Amino acid sequence: FLATVSHELRNPLAPILTWTQLLRSGTLDEAKSRRALEVIERNVISQSQLIDDLIDVSRVVSGKFRLDVRPIDLSPVIKGAADSQVPASDAKQIRLQLVLDERAGLISGDSERLQQVMWNLISNAIKFTPKGGRVQVVLQRAESHVEISVSDSGAGIDAEFLPHVFEPFRQGTGGSMRRHGGLGL
């Protein structure tokens, strides 16, 4: 676990350091400087998310995790999570489509935590979808409840791994076969 966490926290630092050194050298033109700032920002956000995930796990384990449950509209929650993923989907030329039933109505939930869940689901869908693919998020009313589905044109999850998909720190592909980062949270 500590090796995985250390590795994942260290990964964003290399491009941050490299691009910072290039910016400091003063040799980059305006386009490369913009690119440098984009890479630095994306990696800082990635590292921040990893740290937030670890803090949340710590709070859950210690029994200090609290939810702020109140009536919320899921459409803005989903839109907010999706908007933050537009740069990642654009970079891979992935079509990110939202199909939101405006009749879904209010639910009881923690807006911040639900946005975090949606961010993770959309981020993973983009991460595992090949260039030029599609990610779709659907919110719909289903009788007395609402359903959210996130689908993509990626390879999917192996059937053998499905029973373990919500276990902390478990990932579908491990060891030298792992191509994508993350803590499995």
Side-chain angles (χ1 to χ4, degrees):
F1 166 74
L2 288 176
T4 300
V5 170
S6 299
H7 178 75
E8 292 303 326
L9 289 173
R10 186 181 223 173
N11 275 346
L13 293 177
I16 291 170
L17 180 59
T18 300
W19 283 104
T20 302
Q21 290 170 335
L22 287 170
L23 282 169
R24 184 168 286 174
S25 74
T27 60
L28 299 180
D29 62 22
E30 187 176 331
K32 291 251 193 219
S33 293
R34 273 195 310 276
R35 168 93 171 111
L37 292 172
E38 289 169 6
V39 170
I40 291 168
E41 181 179 30
R42 184 173 58 249
N43 281 281
V44 167
I45 290 169
S46 174
Q47 190 166 41
S48 178
Q49 185 63 48
L50 287 167
I51 292 167
D52 288 346
D53 288 347
L54 286 170
I55 290 168
D56 286 347
V57 167
S58 174
R59 287 180 183 146
V60 168
V61 169
S62 68
K64 296 179 180 174
F65 191 80
R66 300 284 181 251
L67 295 176
D68 182 21
V69 178
R70 60 183 65 209
I72 60 166
D73 179 359
L74 282 173
S75 289
V77 169
I78 294 169
K79 287 177 187 174
D83 286 347
S84 70
Q85 294 301 312
V86 168
S89 64
D90 287 351
K92 289 179 72 176
Q93 300 168 351
I94 291 174
R95 182 171 164 234
L96 178 55
Q97 179 185 24
L98 303 180
V99 181
L100 306 176
D101 183 352
E102 297 301 327
R103 299 171 301 133
L106 298 178
I107 65 152
S108 290
D110 183 321
S111 178
E112 184 178 331
R113 296 301 172 197
L114 287 168
Q115 188 167 26
Q116 182 180 15
V117 168
M118 292 308 306
W119 184 94
N120 282 320
L121 292 172
I122 296 168
S123 174
N124 280 342
I126 291 168
K127 183 189 302 185
F128 293 103
T129 297
K131 185 175 184 176
R134 173 199 58 79
V135 171
Q136 182 180 59
V137 181
V138 177
L139 166 67
Q140 63 186 359
R141 167 121 339 249
E143 297 178 22
S144 64
H145 62 278
V146 297
E147 292 178 359
I148 302 170
S149 65
V150 179
S151 60
D152 60 66
S153 57
I157 301 171
D158 289 339
E160 303 85 46
F161 185 71
L162 282 175
H164 308 286
V165 76
F166 292 108
E167 292 176 14
F169 312 113
R170 287 287 299 262
Q171 296 180 330
T173 305
S176 62
M177 296 297 292
R178 252 182 94 200
R179 292 188 342 225
H180 302 282
L183 296 175
L185 294 174

